[in-house]
Amino acid sequence: NQTLISGVTTVRDMSTPIKTMVNLKSQIEQQKIDGPRLVIAGPLTNGDDNYTTARENLTLPFINILNQYKTSFSKDMSNEQIENYIWNLIEIGIDFIKIGYSSRNLSDETTEASGITDDKLELIISTTRKYNKEVAVHISRLEDFNKIINFPITSIEHLPNDGVISDETIEKIKECGVYLVPTLMFIKNFLYFDKFYDFLKSDNALKKFEPEARDILLAECTNFKNNKFTKYDTENIEKNISENL
């Protein structure tokens, strides 16, 4: 109800335990409770040693909640098992599939991940599309970003944190109609504003941004810092978010 009061009429849920969300969605649709329209992903579909491994090493409070369930997907599944896996999620009530994809083990950047192979990735996407469901892909590396846009997906969740998306890639994204959801990058830059601000003032920023873009970002951040932002705010924002997750 608070979501509706805030003016939000649709919520895209990315990884809450599926039975919880399906039950909540049903109650809203039957008008037993007030709430926004829910679009549900269900559990993350990922390889055994990449996205899940990194997630288990995190310390944020909500990680323990996420780790209460595991997707039954495995890189060793047969094609038939993968198709059954997708169908079972759809039967339970998901609206789209979210794939956690990385070409490397995120907890050890030097190690190649034994995650989802290209042929398995293609099968997951094609099977999901066969049932007229959308496909979202979580990435964090530029090499994975550049690769994943070659697949018929709906959206890319978050943005690369290790490089800059090229103009050519942006044009390709526009042509294929994939949309970007830069949530984690926004939160990261907001919570660690001081570090980001210092970075923008340094010459290193010019390695990631064109001079004009860097100057615009720096001007906006300077205005924000001078008028609305203090170190006290940063600490309390991070504390409040952690306590309410």
Side-chain angles (χ1 to χ4, degrees), residues 16-27:
T16 301
I18 187 170
K19 292 183 179 179
T20 299
M21 291 308 299
V22 168
N23 180 56
L24 179 60
K25 181 178 181 178
S26 176
Q27 292 187 59

Side-chain angles (χ1 to χ4, degrees), residues 62-79:
F62 66 88
I63 295 303
N64 290 329
I65 298 174
L66 292 178
N67 286 333
Q68 287 177 6
Y69 72 96
K70 302 287 185 185
T71 170
S72 58
F73 180 84
S74 167
K75 63 183 176 62
D76 298 320
M77 278 183 172
S78 67
N79 288 357

